Amino acid sequence: MKSTNTAKLLALFIIIINVIFILSLAFDINTFTNSNKDFQLSTSIAFLFVGIIIYLVSNKKENSKKILSATNYLFSFFLVMILITNYLKDLFSKKVIGAFYLIQSATISNTTTLKISPITISGFVLILVAGFFKIYEAKNLNRKFYIIGLFLIVLALLAIVGHLFNIPFLYYSFLGENNSIGFYTALLFLLAGISILFLWRSTEVEGIGAKI
C-alpha cells in the first residue's frame, strides 16, 4: 500500500511540474521557462501523459482501467504525431499536420527549435508499454514493471551524471546536437522510473505475477 501511494505521489509531482511549465509557456512566465531551456512544449505534454498513466496504473479503482486505456491510446497518437513532426515532416505538408505542427514547433522564446531525442521517445514508449501491460493484465506484470523502471532509472542517471560532470557522451550527445537528453528531461525520467519500481514492489507484495 505504501509503495502504491509513493508511486501516486511521484506521478502527481510529474503532473504538477508539467502543468506549471505549460501554463508558464502559455502566459509567458520567463522565470520558470528560462531555467528549463532544454525543454519544449511537446516534451512537457508527453510527460504530463506519463504522470497521468503512472497515476492510473497505481490506482486500484475499476473505472481507472477504462480511463487508462483511453489515455494510453491518446498518448500513442501523440507520440506518432511527434515522430511525424520530428523525423518525417518533410514528407508531409504543414497544412496536413495542421495545429499539431504548431504545438510541436513551439519552444521557449529565444531558443532554437529542438528535436525530441530518439532516446527520449524510447523512454516515453516504455512507459506507454507499461500502461498497456496493466490494461491487458500481462503475465509476470511485476517483472515487466521492474525491467522498465530499472531501465528508465539507468538511462536517466547516466544523463544526469553526464550533465553534472560535463560528459556529453553520457547524455547521448553522440546521437547528434539536437538528439541528446536534457537535464530536466532526465530528472523526470528518473522520477518516472522510481515510481514504476514502486509499482513493481506493490504488485510483488500483492503476489501479482512471478517473483523476481
Side-chain angles (χ1 to χ4, degrees):
M1 188 67 176
K2 288 182 179 179
S3 297
T4 302
N5 289 337
T6 304
K8 283 183 180 180
L9 286 174
L10 289 171
L12 284 173
F13 183 77
I14 293 172
I15 292 169
I16 291 167
I17 285 293
N18 286 284
V19 166
I20 291 172
F21 182 83
I22 291 167
L23 290 176
S24 67
L25 280 177
F27 294 101
D28 197 23
I29 303 172
N30 294 327
T31 303
F32 189 79
T33 56
N34 284 345
S35 63
N36 297 274
K37 293 189 182 222
D38 63 309
F39 226 51
Q40 56 182 315
L41 180 58
S42 54
T43 309
S44 189
I45 294 172
F47 272 114
L48 186 59
F49 274 111
V50 165
I52 294 169
I53 287 170
I54 293 173
Y55 184 85
L56 291 171
V57 168
S58 63
N59 202 318
K60 306 298 181 184
K61 293 180 181 178
E62 187 62 31
N63 62 340
S64 294
K65 187 174 286 189
K66 294 179 181 178
I67 301 171
L68 174 62
S69 180
T71 304
N72 252 46
Y73 282 109
L74 188 59
F75 189 29
S76 300
F77 173 76
F78 185 81
L79 288 181
V80 168
M81 294 307 294
I82 285 178
L83 287 171
I84 290 173
T85 55
N86 264 299
Y87 304 103
L88 303 175
K89 63 185 178 186
D90 292 337
L91 302 178
F92 295 85
S93 166
K94 290 184 183 180
K95 291 181 180 179
V96 173
I97 296 174
F100 189 88
Y101 187 90
L102 298 177
I103 294 175
Q104 170 61 15
S105 298
T107 56
I108 301 165
S109 58
N110 301 321
T111 62
T112 56
T113 301
L114 301 171
K115 274 188 175 182
I116 296 183
S117 164
I119 301 292
T120 300
I121 292 176
S122 298
F124 290 145
V125 169
L126 279 175
I127 293 164
L128 188 67
V129 168
F132 280 121
F133 282 154
K134 177 67 174 180
I135 292 167
Y136 294 106
E137 299 178 352
K139 292 181 179 178
N140 300 323
L141 184 61
N142 61 345
R143 179 174 297 175
K144 291 176 172 64
F145 280 166
Y146 178 81
I147 293 170
I148 291 173
L150 193 61
F151 183 87
L152 289 172
I153 288 172
V154 171
L155 179 150
L157 283 177
L158 286 174
I160 289 168
V161 170
H163 281 286
L164 291 176
F165 295 97
N166 195 24
I167 309 173
F169 181 83
L170 291 181
Y171 53 83
Y172 316 103
S173 63
F174 57 86
L175 295 172
E177 184 180 353
N178 289 327
N179 287 324
S180 59
I181 291 185
F183 182 73
Y184 293 101
T185 300
L187 281 177
L188 287 173
F189 271 131
L190 179 61
L191 291 177
I194 292 170
S195 64
I196 291 174
L197 274 191
F198 275 112
L199 288 177
W200 156 70
R201 181 60 186 161
S202 69
T203 55
E204 187 181 54
V205 168
E206 292 168 8
I208 301 174
K211 299 283 185 183
I212 298 296

